[in-house]
Amino acid sequence: DAGVTQSPTHLIKTRGQQVTLRCSPKSGHDTVSWYQQALGQGPQFIFQYYEEEERQRGNFPDRFSGHQFPNYSSELNVNALLLGDSALYLCASSSSDRENSPLHFGNGTRLTVT
Amino acid sequence: DAKTTQPPSMDCAEGRAANLPCNHSTISGNEYVYWYRQIHSQGPQYIIHGLKNNETNEMASLIITEDRKSSTLILPHATLRDTAVYYCIVRPSFSQGAQKLVFGQGTRLTINP
């Protein structure tokens, strides 16, 4: 039973470029969320997707956008990259069938902006 | 969102029980307490959660005080692989968007041989 998988594992981009990160949820999960974790900090919530719609958003600018596909997988897009966007980007999934279904996290994509 | 307070670091000897405290004095009646841990360079790993009653699973035990203002995560026989940052999180009720977890700084637990 595969857990949450993310790709790529590492990525280096230049300031001003755009990036797309991908996530496949754990089998049986239909809800996906994205988190940003700066070095030495706890993860911060970016947004959540359910039924292919953004349901809740954290305090992140519009440069951060996402998408959920019919198979529940998801993408995180970041435009006009800044040096400060360098971080570990984590995807988490859960099941909407059970209230308080635990979130399961992938191992993240390490993004470096130079 | 209810805020949690944890000690920044703790040490424990291998084979002993590790007891990690967490204060969440502003927790609401329908909010759960969740514990996650994060080993270096990996994503957070779910450990356990509870509402009012004490909980136990194959990884740990969770003790919640009667007034629900604090809790303790217990790793009964700590091993070197339990060295990680442990996060105590109060999870919003489902109606508020249950996937938004608010992580603090956590407790850096070091298991010593």
Side-chain angles (χ1 to χ4, degrees):
Chain A
D1 178 21
V4 178
T5 58
Q6 294 185 242
S7 63
T9 55
H10 294 81
L11 201 52
I12 299 175
K13 289 286 189 178
T14 303
R15 189 173 47 186
Q17 285 188 317
Q18 178 264 344
V19 68
T20 297
L21 310 182
R22 295 176 175 83
C23 170
S24 292
K26 180 179 169 66
S27 178
H29 287 182
D30 57 1
T31 304
V32 172
S33 55
W34 288 90
Y35 287 76
Q36 180 195 66
Q37 186 173 23
L39 203 61
Q41 304 295 317
Q44 278 195 294
F45 176 78
I46 302 175
F47 43 52
Q48 168 194 345
Y49 276 85
Y50 172 63
E51 292 185 325
E52 302 179 46
E53 290 186 12
E54 182 182 298
R55 299 290 178 165
Q56 191 176 17
R57 189 178 185 92
N59 189 24
F60 280 82
D62 291 345
R63 297 187 299 108
F64 289 77
S65 63
H67 189 78
Q68 185 180 33
F69 299 94
N71 67 352
Y72 309 123
S73 67
S74 176
E75 287 181 350
L76 165 65
N77 301 293
V78 187
N79 295 323
L81 284 167
L82 304 174
L83 296 179
D85 295 330
S86 295
L88 180 67
Y89 288 86
L90 296 160
C91 174
S93 71
S94 68
S95 169
S96 64
D97 284 350
R98 287 194 298 137
E99 185 173 335
N100 287 297
S101 165
L103 269 67
H104 291 261
F105 285 81
N107 284 328
T109 294
R110 172 73 61 187
L111 173 65
T112 302
V113 182
T114 63
Chain B
D1 299 334
K3 184 177 177 179
T4 62
T5 304
Q6 299 178 252
S9 64
M10 292 182 65
D11 285 89
C12 180
E14 188 178 18
R16 304 298 293 268
N19 298 286
L20 291 89
C22 179
N23 286 320
H24 32 77
S25 58
T26 61
I27 191 170
S28 299
N30 60 354
E31 290 179 319
Y32 283 70
V33 179
Y34 275 72
W35 283 83
Y36 282 79
R37 72 181 182 184
Q38 188 170 25
I39 297 168
H40 184 61
S41 297
Q42 296 182 19
Q45 177 189 23
Y46 165 76
I47 302 173
I48 198 168
H49 73 281
L51 182 63
K52 295 180 184 177
N53 300 321
N54 299 337
E55 302 287 344
T56 296
N57 63 19
E58 65 279 3
M59 290 183 67
S61 295
L62 174 60
I63 309 298
I64 303 175
T65 58
E66 193 169 341
D67 63 7
R68 303 212 321 125
K69 292 185 177 181
S70 65
S71 60
T72 301
L73 178 74
I74 301 172
L75 308 177
H77 305 286
T79 70
L80 298 179
R81 287 180 294 179
D82 292 322
T83 292
V85 177
Y86 287 75
Y87 295 101
C88 168
I89 300 165
V90 171
R91 186 173 182 182
S93 62
F94 183 77
S95 62
Q96 298 173 25
Q99 281 225 350
K100 180 184 177 182
L101 300 182
V102 179
F103 288 81
Q105 295 296 312
T107 295
R108 182 171 298 278
L109 176 67
T110 302
I111 306 300
N112 300 307

